[in-house]
Amino acid sequence: MRFEVLGLLVAMVVAHHPPARVQSNASGTDTRDFTQKVNHTTGTGSETFKQRYQLITQYFEPGGPILFIQSAEAGMPAINASDFIDYAPRLGALVAMLEHRFFGDSQGGSYPSGYDPMNISDDALNSLTLDNVLQDGVSFVNWIKGTIRGAKYSRVIYGSSSYGGFLAVSARIRYPNVFYGAVASSPALNSFGPLGSNRYKFDSAKWASNIYDNTSNDASAKIQTAMADFKKCISDHTCYAVLPDLNVCENSTSLGYERLYKAVLHTYFAVSKFNYPWIEKYPTAYPLRDLVKKTLIASTAGEILRIPLLAASWNADESACIDALNGNISKASTGNMASNQPAFGYVACAYYPINDKSVPSGNILPETFARGNVDICTNPAWKATDYGRENEYFLQKYAITTDLLDATERLLIVQGRYDRTAAIGSPVLTVTDSLNHSRVILVDGIAHAEDSVSEAIEPRGVKPQMDQIRDVKLAHLKEWLGRGNQTESGSAVLTSTRHSVTLFGFLSFIVFLLF
């Protein structure tokens, strides 16, 4: 695979005492209910539901922009966890967050009538469509414009991350008159569908393998050997004898080793992707660094494989036996580390079937889903009629082909180099000095959607590249809103055999050719 991206090159600085990320929605901002239509299509009835939102107006100046955040893959998080809150004082902006329909948390959720997250019927999610999700945002921001004094003519910038990054791109493409610009963090924009003929299906796994190789060749080699041993002993039914140091709890050996193998496989993928400087998906900050350090010390395959299982289980006792009944290990075995929302599985079946599960031969991890179709959808009853189509079909359907993205103005896509999603979320766009042109930026040393968190979560000074991408984002927003001071002349281009550097103002971008 070959594509061009813009990257920020700066050294990584490690925080010695990183905090745990606050997961509560207690942001000091009231969570309120917006009356939303269940179906936005004309002629589908007038049924409504309560959709939760948060709104911050303290920085808003009449005519200032609306920074709209679509929460995704989670219930209503704290609005001050988004980086948009940091830009608001500089832009005189209103900041608004809308919870995704059918998503929620222990405090409640944005649930249409008849939906029970603890007991989901096959037809309860019929109104969970891409069109309805996008039009939820349209309806909400239009309500804000008609309600908040001075916001009638405000320009709206759509921001979100991960699956929400896909929504941000889609919203900018489909509703350009509503969403004046969009910032998409870590979206997957390629490798759609379950077909074995998908030529992008291995890209994520290759990216992850390169991350391990670049972090430590020795640790990478040990992991590769241990995983090969694990896969073989499962096939031979000899894991109890071959991996005695894995130390599986006696009460869970009846489940077999297949669940543990899947948990290890998915955890290796996820540890690099979610390599945050705070505690979130795993019990340590910088979990990739922690895993590699422990792997280098381990001497047997069983000892090596215990490391990701202990991380996945959140067991602080490194001498404890591995409990296959542990709920966190069970979750890790499914590969569902991105979202804790029951309805997210429906999203993958109905309109967002991303294949990032396939692993080719020669990878750090054993060959997986390399031949034939990949069953991305876990519930056959939820599969859309076009679920089994080819990748190119979905790119056309969602109008996210490279040429269409390249022709879109005021669209910023940010990817982190630790995140294997970058391999399927970095379209080849025209390299230009114009901040209004669509752009992809690859940031060294950051994880999945890390760029989208506020300074309250990751303060300035923890990583210089985070400080820089924040400045870059603000520069783009100012330029989009007519408040920038972009250099119009005097740009310089330096070239070499490996890359070219485009210099403008205080920003320095590298154009890479990655294979």
Side-chain angles (χ1 to χ4, degrees), residues 100-102 125-130 132-133 343 346-347 350-351:
H100 195 290
R101 61 167 56 205
F102 290 98
L125 293 156
N126 287 341
S127 65
L128 180 48
T129 66
L130 178 59
N132 276 334
V133 171
Y346 185 89
V347 170
Y351 58 87

Side-chain angles (χ1 to χ4, degrees), residues 293-341:
K293 178 182 177 181
K294 292 175 179 176
T295 299
L296 290 172
I297 296 172
S299 57
T300 69
E303 291 176 356
I304 292 168
L305 297 170
R306 281 178 55 81
I307 297 166
L309 287 171
L310 287 170
S313 67
W314 282 69
N315 195 333
D317 182 2
E318 296 188 5
S319 64
C321 63
I322 300 298
D323 183 5
L325 298 172
N326 177 280
N328 292 324
I329 286 181
S330 179
K331 180 179 179 181
S333 70
T334 68
N336 184 22
M337 297 301 295
S339 176
N340 61 357
Q341 299 297 309

Side-chain angles (χ1 to χ4, degrees), residues 336-371:
N336 184 22
M337 297 301 295
S339 176
N340 61 357
Q341 299 297 309
F344 189 69
Y346 185 89
V347 170
C349 298
Y351 58 87
Y352 195 56
I354 293 293
N355 179 11
D356 59 358
K357 297 181 178 181
S358 296
V359 183
S361 61
N363 196 271
I364 181 179
L365 301 174
E367 183 178 300
T368 308
F369 300 124
R371 298 170 176 82

Side-chain angles (χ1 to χ4, degrees), residues 80-384:
N80 61 7
S82 167
D83 63 331
F84 272 11
I85 202 69
D86 298 324
Y87 309 137
R90 307 286 296 275
L91 300 172
L94 178 154
V95 185
M97 175 181 284
L98 184 67
E99 186 171 53
H100 195 290
R101 61 167 56 205
F102 290 98
F103 289 10
D105 54 32
S106 60
Q107 304 301 313
S110 297
Y111 305 142
S113 177
Y115 176 73
D116 178 359
M118 303 304 294
N119 184 22
I120 305 175
S121 63
D122 288 342
D123 59 354
L125 293 156
N126 287 341
S127 65
L128 180 48
T129 66
L130 178 59
D131 288 339
N132 276 334
V133 171
L134 295 178
Q135 289 186 66
D136 285 348
V138 172
S139 177
F140 179 59
V141 299
N142 284 340
W143 171 79
I144 291 174
K145 287 186 172 187
T147 303
I148 303 298
R149 185 184 299 273
K152 183 176 182 180
Y153 301 106
S154 292
R155 290 170 171 171
V156 183
I157 307 298
Y158 194 120
S160 196
S161 59
S162 196
Y163 153 62
F166 163 74
L167 296 178
V169 173
S170 298
R172 178 72 186 111
I173 295 289
R174 293 195 182 195
Y175 300 98
N177 294 329
V178 177
F179 301 108
Y180 189 72
V183 181
S185 298
S186 301
L189 301 172
N190 206 353
S191 193
F192 285 87
L195 298 184
S197 57
N198 178 359
R199 60 193 178 100
Y200 302 101
K201 65 182 181 181
F202 294 134
D203 289 349
S204 288
K206 290 178 180 178
W207 188 282
S209 190
N210 287 336
I211 291 170
Y212 280 96
D213 289 342
N214 292 335
T215 303
S216 170
N217 279 322
D218 290 342
S220 180
K222 293 176 79 170
I223 291 170
Q224 186 173 25
T225 299
M227 284 298 288
D229 290 347
F230 202 178
K231 185 174 184 178
K232 186 175 188 302
C233 78
I234 288 175
S235 176
D236 296 341
H237 304 287
T238 57
C239 289
Y240 185 82
V242 172
L243 301 173
D245 293 338
L246 190 58
N247 188 19
V248 179
C249 299
E250 290 294 335
N251 68 335
S252 61
T253 54
S254 61
L255 293 175
Y257 286 84
E258 185 71 27
R259 173 184 289 193
L260 295 178
Y261 175 83
K262 290 179 179 179
V264 172
L265 178 73
H266 293 306
T267 300
Y268 277 130
F269 274 142
V271 159
S272 60
K273 180 175 181 176
F274 302 114
N275 187 38
Y276 299 126
W278 60 78
I279 295 172
E280 182 169 298
K281 301 291 185 183
Y282 297 100
T284 62
Y286 296 107
L288 176 63
R289 179 186 64 183
D290 183 71
L291 183 145
V292 166
K293 178 182 177 181
K294 292 175 179 176
T295 299
L296 290 172
I297 296 172
S299 57
T300 69
E303 291 176 356
I304 292 168
L305 297 170
R306 281 178 55 81
I307 297 166
L309 287 171
L310 287 170
S313 67
W314 282 69
N315 195 333
D317 182 2
E318 296 188 5
S319 64
C321 63
I322 300 298
D323 183 5
L325 298 172
N326 177 280
N328 292 324
I329 286 181
S330 179
K331 180 179 179 181
S333 70
T334 68
N336 184 22
M337 297 301 295
S339 176
N340 61 357
Q341 299 297 309
F344 189 69
Y346 185 89
V347 170
C349 298
Y351 58 87
Y352 195 56
I354 293 293
N355 179 11
D356 59 358
K357 297 181 178 181
S358 296
V359 183
S361 61
N363 196 271
I364 181 179
L365 301 174
E367 183 178 300
T368 308
F369 300 124
R371 298 170 176 82
N373 294 349
V374 179
D375 204 357
I376 302 165
C377 178
T378 58
N379 185 343
W382 291 348
K383 289 182 180 179

